[in-house]
């Protein structure tokens, strides 16, 4: 029972993303339990372009707990705004990634 609660706390802790202003570029590091038994670590660089839209370059590493399957993926994301309020912006992330599972190519 303690592991799911601890995992949830780690996800919330590492997923908190705060920016004081729009127009800033930032580097983020996220990690946690993605699905049952899959651990994920992500490093990304976000920059803003026109009309509050963001673009992101990222590197993801995933590993399963039970087996030795692991992947490394790198990609580009485009995040246009679909809802904007006074203090809140909601973005829809689109993009793609390529990488390897250390035996084959993954896209």
């Amino acid at each position: 029972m303690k592991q799911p609660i601890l995992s949830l706390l780690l996800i919330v802790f590492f997923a908190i993303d705060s920016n004081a202003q729009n127009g800033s570029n930032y580097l983020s590091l996220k990690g946690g339990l993605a699905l049952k038994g899959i651990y994920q670590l992500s490093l990304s660089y976000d920059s803003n372009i026109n009309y509050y839209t963001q673009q992101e370059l990222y590197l993801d590493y995933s590993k399963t707990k039970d087996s030795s399957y692991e992947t490394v993926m790198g990609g580009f994301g485009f995040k246009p705004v679909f809802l904007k309020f006074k203090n809140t912006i909601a973005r829809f992330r689109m993009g793609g990634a390529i990488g390897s599972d250390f035996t084959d190519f993954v896209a």
Side-chain angles (χ1 to χ4, degrees):
M1 184 64 184
K2 289 184 181 181
Q3 185 176 357
I5 292 171
L6 180 62
S7 297
L8 180 62
L9 288 175
L10 285 173
I11 291 169
V12 170
F13 177 74
F14 284 116
I16 292 174
D17 188 25
S18 60
N19 283 322
Q21 60 190 0
N22 192 42
S24 59
N25 299 332
Y26 60 95
L27 187 66
S28 64
L29 178 66
K30 303 171 221 167
L33 187 62
L35 295 171
K36 184 179 179 182
I38 299 176
Y39 298 102
Q40 186 172 16
L41 182 65
S42 178
L43 177 67
S44 66
Y45 174 75
D46 286 59
S47 64
N48 289 321
I49 50 179
N50 57 353
Y51 302 110
Y52 301 99
T53 302
Q54 287 186 335
Q55 56 189 2
E56 172 188 26
L57 291 172
Y58 60 91
L59 181 66
D60 287 334
Y61 172 76
S62 300
K63 181 171 175 40
T64 57
K65 180 180 177 182
D66 298 335
S67 67
S68 62
Y69 187 75
E70 53 189 339
T71 61
V72 175
M73 304 285 285
F76 176 79
F78 178 72
K79 300 188 267 187
V81 175
F82 69 91
L83 284 176
K84 182 180 180 303
F85 299 105
K86 183 177 180 181
N87 293 323
T88 305
I89 293 177
R91 295 180 174 97
F92 182 76
R93 183 180 182 204
M94 300 179 284
I98 59 172
S100 174
D101 63 356
F102 299 103
T103 58
D104 289 325
F105 175 77
V106 179

